[in-house]
């Protein structure tokens, strides 16, 4: 009984770490390049944060469920959807900014998920 409670607590901590704390960490890390992006504001306010949050939770789910290969499909899907965004001046800077944030976010999600998976008992 106690073991199951501890396991659930470890998973909950992983989920919580990958929510707002990681969003703030990624935003703080990438903020140094934000001024290079110019004034192009054709996106939804806060959408990037929500996309990152959902991606991290999906990565966490994929790793804990033993389907780590699904992370590759998530990366490929994001690339396909972002392909059409790169048509204006300054796109290289924006692409690099998004790529840095994405890789940092994915890396943190993988590290947390693998850490949680390592703590949980094998099935």
């Amino acid at each position: 009984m106690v073991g199951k409670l501890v396991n659930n607590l470890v998973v909950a901590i992983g989920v919580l770490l990958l929510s707002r704390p990681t969003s703030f960490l990624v935003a703080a890390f990438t903020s140094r390049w934000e001024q290079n992006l110019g004034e192009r504001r054709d996106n939804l306010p806060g959408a990037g944060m929500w996309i990152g949050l959902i991606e991290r939770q999906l990565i966490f789910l994929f790793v804990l469920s033993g389907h780590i290969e699904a992370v590759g499909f998530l990366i490929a899907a994001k690339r396909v959807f972002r392909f059409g965004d790169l048509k204006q001046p300054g796109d290289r800077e924006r692409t690099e900014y998004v790529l840095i944030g994405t890789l940092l976010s994915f890396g943190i999600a993988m590290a947390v998920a693998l850490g949680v998976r390592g703590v949980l008992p094998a099935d």
Side-chain angles (χ1 to χ4, degrees):
M1 179 72 168
V2 173
K4 190 169 193 133
L5 178 65
V6 170
N7 292 346
N8 289 339
L9 184 60
V10 168
V11 171
I13 289 170
V15 168
L16 290 175
L17 281 174
L18 293 176
S19 61
R20 294 295 289 202
T22 302
S23 293
F24 289 127
L25 181 67
V26 171
F29 186 81
T30 59
S31 66
R32 68 182 85 177
W33 298 292
E34 200 165 0
Q35 71 273 2
N36 297 352
L37 298 180
E39 292 298 317
R40 186 173 149 199
R41 295 281 180 206
D42 58 350
N43 57 349
L44 299 172
M49 182 202 62
W50 281 102
I51 291 168
L53 190 139
I54 293 166
E55 286 172 350
R56 289 188 298 274
Q57 298 300 332
L58 286 172
I59 290 169
F60 189 73
L61 176 69
F62 294 153
V63 171
L64 288 188
S65 67
H67 296 290
I68 202 165
E69 68 279 355
V71 175
F73 289 110
L74 184 61
I75 292 170
K78 183 167 187 175
R79 177 66 184 114
V80 167
F81 285 116
R82 289 300 243 164
F83 184 73
D85 292 348
L86 309 175
K87 294 180 180 159
Q88 295 183 13
D91 284 343
R92 180 181 176 139
E93 290 86 4
R94 187 169 303 281
T95 300
E96 290 172 347
Y97 173 79
V98 169
L99 186 59
I100 290 168
T102 297
L103 291 174
L104 181 60
S105 183
F106 273 52
I108 292 169
M110 288 293 293
V112 170
L114 291 171
V116 167
R117 189 172 173 190
V119 170
L120 296 176
D123 290 335

